[in-house]
Amino acid sequence: LALYFHSGEREEKCIIKDVPSDTLVIGNYKVQRWDIHKQGFLESAPGLGMFVTVTTPSAEVLLSKLYGPQGTFSFTSYLSGEHVICLQSNSTRFVAFAGSKLRIHLDIRVGEHFLDESVVQAKDKVNEVNFRLEHLIEQIHHISKEQNYEREREEKFRKTSEETNSNILWWAIVQTLILISIGIWQIKSLRDFFISKKLV
């Protein structure tokens, strides 16, 4: 997931990422500040830091740390589900005057370690093959874990759908029985009325 978004200083922006359990998540970000004189975003925002907060599906804070204007954060999920990743600048200016616009570039990788090409090049060919093979095996494990997680979600969704359909069926049966009962009661009431009035 690679994206960028605009934010005001001291404004918190959050994204929701669905992550399987026991999965490594790595995020890279870069902050650019709007320059009113150049009418464009500067290449970086020196002196500006970012608070990164990660919350689990059970509303537990998994990560809360201050980074620089450009950095990398990582965490390992222990619960499967929607994790909330929030970023907020640490501008020391008063909120009323913190009107500078920021552009935040964010790249989130789920379940993978980045290959360090400099390390790969420093090793001989056999070690390079082993290193890349380990990386591929790790990717296969991640894909398998992701598939299992999706299968669990699909099974849960199917179970919920079946329960809903079953409830609808029973509600339709109950409605039909109520309508039949009301019809029989109305017919009986009319018949008793006609008999009491000696119309029948």
Side-chain angles (χ1 to χ4, degrees), residues 61-102:
V61 176
L62 193 60
L63 173 70
S64 181
K65 192 174 177 182
L66 175 63
Y67 295 87
Q70 184 172 351
T72 300
F73 62 89
S74 64
F75 64 92
T76 302
S77 63
Y78 66 89
L79 284 175
S80 59
E82 294 181 341
H83 288 66
V84 181
I85 303 170
C86 296
L87 292 94
Q88 182 181 25
S89 70
N90 71 332
S91 172
T92 55
R93 297 194 292 171
F94 292 113
V95 176
F97 300 104
S100 181
K101 189 163 61 172
L102 303 175

Side-chain angles (χ1 to χ4, degrees), residues 2-192:
L3 53 91
Y4 77 85
F5 51 88
H6 292 151
S7 171
E9 289 190 41
R10 304 294 296 172
E11 181 183 0
E12 187 178 54
K13 292 283 188 174
C14 299
I15 64 165
I16 296 173
K17 186 70 181 167
D18 208 351
V19 183
S21 61
D22 194 27
T23 301
L24 175 67
V25 179
I26 298 174
N28 281 317
Y29 73 88
K30 181 176 80 169
V31 183
Q32 295 175 295
R33 178 180 266 153
W34 176 260
D35 189 318
I36 195 167
H37 302 296
K38 294 183 178 180
Q39 288 296 303
F41 286 98
L42 299 174
E43 191 56 35
S44 65
L48 193 67
M50 293 296 288
F51 283 109
V52 179
T53 308
V54 179
T55 308
T56 66
S58 62
E60 182 182 342
V61 176
L62 193 60
L63 173 70
S64 181
K65 192 174 177 182
L66 175 63
Y67 295 87
Q70 184 172 351
T72 300
F73 62 89
S74 64
F75 64 92
T76 302
S77 63
Y78 66 89
L79 284 175
S80 59
E82 294 181 341
H83 288 66
V84 181
I85 303 170
C86 296
L87 292 94
Q88 182 181 25
S89 70
N90 71 332
S91 172
T92 55
R93 297 194 292 171
F94 292 113
V95 176
F97 300 104
S100 181
K101 189 163 61 172
L102 303 175
R103 176 183 283 172
I104 302 169
H105 299 263
L106 182 61
D107 182 19
I108 295 178
R109 305 287 177 91
V110 178
E112 72 175 70
H113 295 280
F114 295 115
L115 280 172
D116 189 344
E117 294 297 334
S118 62
V119 174
V120 173
Q121 290 170 5
K123 295 177 181 291
D124 60 23
K125 290 294 180 183
V126 175
N127 287 339
E128 180 182 342
V129 171
N130 284 337
F131 185 71
R132 291 187 181 275
L133 189 59
E134 286 174 8
H135 183 73
L136 285 173
I137 290 170
E138 187 178 313
Q139 289 293 93
I140 290 168
H141 285 314
H142 169 66
I143 291 168
S144 174
K145 195 182 297 179
E146 190 81 38
Q147 287 177 334
N148 289 335
Y149 177 57
E150 292 299 328
R151 198 176 295 118
E152 287 173 13
R153 288 186 63 193
E154 184 187 353
E155 188 177 333
K156 190 187 295 182
F157 179 75
R158 191 178 343 110
K159 187 177 178 182
T160 304
S161 299
E162 288 173 358
E163 287 175 357
T164 304
N165 289 337
S166 175
N167 290 338
I168 290 171
L169 176 63
W170 281 110
W171 176 239
I173 291 171
V174 168
Q175 279 185 320
T176 305
L177 291 174
I178 290 172
L179 287 173
I180 291 171
S181 302
I182 290 172
I184 293 171
W185 177 77
Q186 285 180 331
I187 291 170
K188 186 177 181 304
S189 297
L190 281 171
R191 191 162 114 350
D192 291 344

